[in-house]
Amino acid sequence: TFDSKKEFNRYHELLLLQRAGKIKNLERQVKIPLLPSQRDEKGKVIERAVTYIADFVYFDTEQNKTIVEDVKGMKTPEYILKRKMALYLCHIRIHEV
């Protein structure tokens, strides 16, 4: 399932690019850890881990690099914070479509 028609359409565009050999290793809904869970001295979780789920991750054969892509209709404050964390903590620049 897809979160939006826009995301569904983008997936089919990426499938065409993959068939043409312009991209490879297309994956959907890739979980990227940003912060680990926090535990107390007894091991009990006191704060859950923070993750970002990318709509698509693929290798662009023309640019020779991995692309992390998010199809956006509206940029929520939570998304903006996670985008900044991905860049700062993981050096991942999210490509927004």
Side-chain angles (χ1 to χ4, degrees):
T1 62
F2 294 88
D3 290 339
S4 68
K5 187 170 178 102
K6 186 176 179 181
E7 185 179 327
F8 174 82
N9 290 336
R10 179 62 179 159
Y11 178 64
H12 287 282
E13 289 173 6
L14 291 170
L15 285 176
L16 290 174
L17 290 171
Q18 184 165 256
R19 283 190 210 122
K22 295 188 181 226
I23 68 169
K24 62 182 181 179
N25 303 328
L26 175 61
E27 296 179 79
R28 292 186 57 237
Q29 302 298 303
V30 177
K31 188 183 280 193
I32 299 170
L34 299 175
L35 292 173
S37 61
Q38 305 298 304
R39 298 176 181 272
D40 65 14
E41 57 282 347
K42 294 179 182 174
K44 179 182 175 194
V45 174
I46 54 175
E47 292 291 344
R48 293 188 318 210
V50 177
T51 59
Y52 163 71
I53 299 175
D55 290 331
F56 307 107
V57 175
Y58 55 88
F59 185 81
D60 186 313
T61 56
E62 293 177 346
Q63 296 182 50
N64 199 35
K65 68 178 184 176
T66 299
I67 305 294
V68 176
E69 189 173 288
D70 202 289
V71 179
K72 280 284 152 225
M74 184 179 84
K75 296 178 188 174
T76 64
E78 180 182 11
Y79 165 74
I80 292 168
L81 180 60
K82 287 183 177 185
R83 182 190 69 201
K84 291 177 181 185
M85 290 173 69
L87 181 59
Y88 183 76
L89 298 171
C90 306
H91 309 286
I92 295 172
R93 189 164 190 180
I94 299 169
H95 177 74
E96 297 170 351
V97 178

